[in-house]
Amino acid sequence: DVQLQASGGGLVQPGGSLRISCAASGFPFSQYAMSWVRQPPGKEIEWVSTIFAGGNGGSDTGSVKGRFTTSRDNAKNILYLQMNNLQPDDTAVYHCARGAGTAYDYRGQGTQVTVSS
């Protein structure tokens, strides 16, 4: 079974940093593009970023450019999202997903990130 488990969320002050992780299992992780999506409170799920299977490129949504960095460790089957200069609008449940952009086929349980003073 495909399993995607995000962790590392928490409460952070505006301007702060946080790194969240996603442990993947049940499929050949290194062969898939992976994405982060998030769901702000009371809103629809939105795409955040995608990283290619080899980790050699990807893309992210405009609102996080220059602040968020997506990376992966294909030896450990882990996806990361380094978030810097966090803002209240970044408050959301963050999920990792298998696939690129919004065309993912699995989305795991998320981790809550709250940005507040």
Side-chain angles (χ1 to χ4, degrees), residues 35-114:
S35 297
W36 286 101
V37 298
R38 66 185 180 184
Q39 187 166 26
K43 297 183 179 180
E44 298 292 316
I45 286 178
E46 60 186 30
W47 171 73
V48 176
S49 67
T50 293
I51 186 167
F52 298 152
N56 56 344
S59 59
D60 47 38
T61 192
S63 64
V64 308
K65 282 190 186 297
R67 300 190 299 123
F68 290 13
T69 301
T70 302
S71 61
R72 63 193 295 164
D73 185 333
N74 282 345
K76 296 181 179 179
N77 292 357
I78 299 177
L79 178 71
Y80 300 101
L81 183 65
Q82 175 68 45
M83 303 180 286
N84 298 328
N85 192 21
L86 281 159
Q87 300 301 316
D89 283 350
D90 297 316
T91 295
V93 177
Y94 284 73
H95 305 261
C96 60
R98 189 179 78 169
T102 56
Y104 54 85
D105 55 3
Y106 286 93
R107 184 180 76 234
Q109 285 192 311
T111 186
Q112 175 72 48
V113 173
T114 301

Side-chain angles (χ1 to χ4, degrees), residues 8-30:
L11 174 64
V12 62
Q13 293 187 340
S17 297
L18 200 63
R19 188 177 81 159
I20 59 176
S21 303
C22 172
S25 62
F27 67 99
F29 180 74
S30 64

